[in-house]
Amino acid sequence: MGMSRAALGRLPLYLDYLHNLADASPYISAARIAQSLNLGEVQVRKDLSSISGKGRPKLGYLKAELTRDLTLALRGDAVSYAVIAGAGSLGRALLDYEGFSVFGLEIAAAFDSDPQRLGTSARGKPILPWTELSDYCRSKDVRIGIIAVPASAAQTVCEAMLANGIAAIWNFAPCTLDIPDGVAVKYENLALSLAHLKTLLRTTD
Amino acid sequence: MGMSRAALGRLPLYLDYLHNLADASPYISAARIAQSLNLGEVQVRKDLSSISGKGRPKLGYLKAELTRDLTLALRGDAVSYAVIAGAGSLGRALLDYEGFSVFGLEIAAAFDSDPQRLGTSARGKPILPWTELSDYCRSKDVRIGIIAVPASAAQTVCEAMLANGIAAIWNFAPCTLDIPDGVAVKYENLALSLAHLKTLLRTTD
């Protein structure tokens, strides 16, 4: 790719913007993306041209083509494996969520300390004993850990993941984690997403 | 509040930024928030002062206080009710997700057309027949609809929601919806969130 990490990190923003775009035109310009996302136009042009060429003069990019090229760039060349801690309803929902594979991501298994939850998910993914996390992560080169346990257990789970080679954490537990430098972390706050939608409902006073 | 809809819509951004902030200082300045989010400093100062006062000179806002004030401002005065279409694993996980109430949101019920899924969730929330959506929405003044059905059913479900007074849609189905003007919609793409985390793992070439 030859793309900087910062540029790569902007690709999901562009894709999310395209997914949420309401208007009917098949085209989108780099200038409009830059303005909508509060980014510099030169930067956006450079990012997009490196993965999807220059676009049509005066029209910009075909949205469908740009979406495809952004997805391919995010997919990269190799599959990254993730595991989930916590096989409650959210953990199992994530384990069976379709659509990760398009980005070269595979949630390989979930782990839980409750023997009653072990076995397989609705779509046949393994739910394994928590004590097997270490062997599993090392044998499969798992780099991403997803935390779907209660907040009270999240820090302990996080430390076990980091001790077993995981370098990026996606945290669904409603708490802040104490994480060493160099570990990537993303906090997913579903309640905040819904709160954002609620702000669109309110009328201006 | 006296806050514009645009300003209200920025509050979740500020809160998400605070949640994801790694450094240990108890303070955060409006200038730093503005810079990190690519927003104008004057605008950020105005937004924050309207909900949390002026902050400390040279230090900024106490993160804990600002988090509390942002949450309260997003909560507003009245509870907004939401319903979920689809009581598969994701729908049930959302139905039982804790933490919506802090923003004045209540997911009241889920609806499904599969008789085997009806009854109550793990936390005792009702899972009702799809045919009861209309009566339920009107009796409870439901304004938010959450779509957790397969992509093939999402548009039909969306139209039924809109026909029953719902004015904002949170869509987890991996598809674009055809939505009339004036309806708020938010597409939640969990795969894209995970893809973003993956970009943080890759080394710069």
Side-chain angles (χ1 to χ4, degrees):
Chain A
M1 296 276 311
M3 200 169 217
S4 72
R5 182 182 287 210
L8 198 58
R10 284 189 294 273
L11 303 189
L13 294 182
Y14 301 141
L15 201 46
D16 191 47
Y17 174 74
L18 287 174
H19 286 158
N20 279 283
L21 204 55
D23 84 76
S25 164
Y27 289 96
I28 181 77
S29 68
R32 194 167 149 216
I33 295 176
Q35 188 178 32
S36 301
L37 296 178
N38 267 309
L39 294 171
E41 192 175 326
V42 171
Q43 187 178 61
V44 173
R45 284 192 188 285
K46 188 178 165 208
D47 290 347
L48 298 187
S49 68
S50 76
I51 60 136
S52 196
K54 289 289 177 197
R56 272 78 169 170
K58 314 233 173 194
L59 289 169
Y61 292 90
L62 265 176
K63 286 179 199 164
E65 286 185 12
L66 187 56
T67 298
R68 179 202 60 199
D69 292 341
L70 285 165
T71 303
L72 286 173
L74 283 167
R75 180 191 310 210
D77 298 324
V79 171
S80 295
Y81 291 102
V83 294
I84 300 175
S89 55
L90 180 64
R92 289 198 309 278
L94 292 168
L95 188 59
D96 283 343
Y97 190 78
E98 295 178 303
F100 290 123
S101 62
V102 71
F103 295 116
L105 294 158
E106 186 184 332
I107 302 191
F111 293 83
D112 206 292
S113 55
D114 179 351
Q116 299 207 309
R117 288 178 170 172
L118 307 183
T120 54
S121 70
R123 290 188 194 275
K125 294 277 189 83
I127 302 173
L128 304 172
W130 174 244
T131 49
E132 294 181 15
L133 178 78
S134 179
D135 286 349
Y136 191 91
C137 287
R138 288 166 188 284
S139 70
K140 231 180 148 77
D141 191 25
V142 174
R143 303 296 308 285
I144 299 172
I146 302 170
I147 297 180
V149 298
S152 57
Q155 182 65 35
T156 305
V157 156
C158 177
E159 287 167 15
M161 286 176 159
L162 298 181
N164 285 293
I166 283 173
I169 298 284
W170 195 19
N171 181 35
F172 283 82
C175 64
T176 302
L177 298 168
D178 186 10
I179 294 215
D181 288 345
V183 174
V185 61
K186 189 170 170 71
Y187 292 90
E188 193 73 28
N189 191 324
L190 292 172
L192 193 54
S193 293
L194 188 53
H196 190 192
L197 188 60
K198 183 183 158 187
T199 67
L200 303 175
L201 271 179
R202 295 213 217 152
T203 52
T204 309
D205 302 318
Chain B
M1 297 278 311
M3 200 169 218
S4 72
R5 181 183 288 208
L8 198 56
R10 284 189 293 273
L11 303 189
L13 294 182
Y14 301 141
L15 200 45
D16 190 48
Y17 174 73
L18 288 173
H19 286 159
N20 279 282
L21 204 56
D23 82 77
S25 164
Y27 288 97
I28 181 77
S29 68
R32 192 166 151 220
I33 294 177
Q35 188 178 32
S36 301
L37 297 178
N38 266 309
L39 295 171
E41 191 174 328
V42 171
Q43 186 179 62
V44 173
R45 285 193 187 285
K46 189 177 166 208
D47 290 346
L48 298 187
S49 68
S50 75
I51 59 137
S52 196
K54 291 287 178 197
R56 273 78 167 168
K58 312 229 176 201
L59 288 170
Y61 292 89
L62 265 175
K63 285 179 199 165
E65 286 184 12
L66 187 57
T67 298
R68 180 202 60 198
D69 292 340
L70 285 165
T71 303
L72 286 174
L74 283 168
R75 179 191 311 209
D77 298 325
V79 171
S80 295
Y81 291 102
V83 294
I84 300 175
S89 56
L90 180 64
R92 289 198 308 277
L94 292 168
L95 188 59
D96 283 342
Y97 190 78
E98 294 179 306
F100 290 123
S101 63
V102 71
F103 296 115
L105 293 159
E106 186 184 331
I107 302 191
F111 294 83
D112 206 293
S113 54
D114 179 351
Q116 298 207 310
R117 289 179 171 171
L118 307 183
T120 53
S121 70
R123 290 189 194 275
K125 295 277 189 82
I127 301 172
L128 304 172
W130 174 245
T131 51
E132 292 180 17
L133 178 79
S134 179
D135 285 351
Y136 190 92
C137 286
R138 287 165 187 286
S139 70
K140 231 178 148 79
D141 192 25
V142 175
R143 303 297 308 285
I144 298 173
I146 301 170
I147 297 180
V149 298
S152 58
Q155 182 65 34
T156 306
V157 157
C158 176
E159 287 168 15
M161 286 176 159
L162 298 181
N164 286 293
I166 283 173
I169 298 285
W170 194 19
N171 181 35
F172 283 81
C175 63
T176 302
L177 299 168
D178 186 12
I179 293 214
D181 289 346
V183 174
V185 62
K186 189 169 169 71
Y187 292 90
E188 192 74 28
N189 192 325
L190 292 172
L192 194 55
S193 294
L194 188 53
H196 192 190
L197 188 62
K198 184 184 157 187
T199 69
L200 303 175
L201 270 180
R202 294 212 219 155
T203 53
T204 309
D205 303 316

